[in-house]
Amino acid sequence: MLNSQLILNQSLVEDEWIFVALPSGNEEVKKQAGKVVLFKLTGESLPTDLQINETVIPQTGKIILPLSVYLKNHDALQARVKNNEIALWVATHETLDTLLALEKDINIFPLIAVYVERFQDGRIFTLGNLLRTRYQFKNTLRAFGDVLQDQLFYLKRSGFDSYLIKTGKDANEALKALQSFSDPYQGAVDVKEPVWKRIVRS
């Protein structure tokens, strides 16, 4: 049995990507000018300039970069983007506006990962849906962080096809959650038409 916590297309696979995390920010950094409003409203801060500048980018391999770090180092990373070595991760409270203004086609990235720090609302479902429908992202869409087993089927319906299961959780059990319903009733990203349009009655 494969010892992996990564699900891709309903199978356990080895992760070929190197995840690049932001350095931890302390309370003072979180409440710098321009960050305090968001932090007070949601408890979630955007990455600070200090965190972005101190992020170490591996010089080789396929890497998943924080969106803010990619934007900061955009020009220097273009050769690696062309070699399919750069993927992005974005937190559910971040916006994609700057990225979409910069890149004509986000399918230059073979993978986009969406991070849930702690599950408390449906933003990850909305973001997955937007990436697949409005922004026409066709490559691997991964969910990671505080992703719960009973959410996986609905994440799949929202356009995700990859899930990094938290350490300590049974990835094989999580796989079963993707088959919670054999034939979904409503139309969504994965199956466009509702069941009453798909089934021909005699």
Side-chain angles (χ1 to χ4, degrees):
M1 184 179 295
L2 182 64
N3 183 22
S4 174
Q5 293 295 104
L6 179 63
I7 298 173
L8 175 63
N9 295 324
Q10 303 190 50
S11 298
L12 289 177
V13 299
E14 294 288 356
D15 195 352
E16 61 181 355
W17 291 90
I18 301 167
F19 176 76
V20 178
L22 288 162
S24 297
N26 57 39
E27 192 71 8
E28 290 183 1
V29 171
K30 281 184 175 179
K31 294 192 175 182
Q32 284 179 352
K35 314 301 180 190
V36 64
V37 174
L38 178 65
F39 186 77
K40 281 185 176 179
L41 287 173
T42 67
E44 299 161 325
S45 61
L46 295 174
T48 65
D49 290 340
L50 180 62
Q51 287 176 292
I52 295 169
N53 292 334
E54 290 188 348
T55 299
V56 177
I57 301 176
Q59 296 303 302
T60 59
K62 301 171 74 170
I63 58 176
I64 308 176
L65 284 177
L67 172 61
S68 54
V69 174
Y70 172 75
L71 294 174
K72 175 76 173 181
N73 297 276
H74 174 267
D75 292 346
L77 291 168
Q78 289 313 293
R80 297 184 69 182
V81 170
K82 291 178 181 178
N83 287 333
N84 292 318
E85 294 180 3
I86 302 295
L88 302 180
W89 71 264
V90 57
T92 53
H93 62 277
E94 293 183 273
T95 67
L96 299 175
D97 295 350
T98 304
L99 176 67
L100 295 167
L102 186 64
E103 306 293 4
K104 294 180 180 179
D105 182 7
I106 59 173
N107 286 294
I108 60 173
F109 305 108
L111 180 151
I112 293 178
V114 180
Y115 173 60
V116 182
E117 183 175 1
R118 56 186 178 279
F119 184 79
Q120 55 189 5
D121 54 45
R123 286 177 292 181
I124 188 170
F125 303 106
T126 301
L127 188 52
N129 190 295
L130 285 172
L131 281 164
R132 290 300 194 199
T133 56
R134 181 181 299 177
Y135 307 135
Q136 294 294 299
F137 183 65
K138 302 183 186 307
N139 299 326
T140 301
L141 185 56
R142 178 185 297 186
F144 74 108
D146 190 25
V147 176
L148 308 178
Q149 179 174 321
D150 58 3
Q151 299 167 354
L152 296 190
F153 179 80
Y154 302 100
L155 286 168
K156 176 175 175 287
R157 300 238 63 206
S158 301
F160 289 87
D161 55 5
S162 178
Y163 321 87
L164 185 60
I165 307 304
K166 291 194 295 186
T167 301
K169 300 295 183 180
D170 190 332
N172 286 285
E173 285 298 314
L175 267 174
K176 298 176 184 178
L178 292 170
Q179 305 296 331
S180 296
F181 302 96
S182 59
D183 197 6
Y185 183 81
Q186 297 171 312
V189 174
D190 60 339
V191 180
K192 300 290 190 297
E193 293 186 333
V195 68
W196 59 270
K197 282 191 173 183
R198 301 195 306 270
I199 296 178
V200 178
R201 299 183 183 276
S202 57

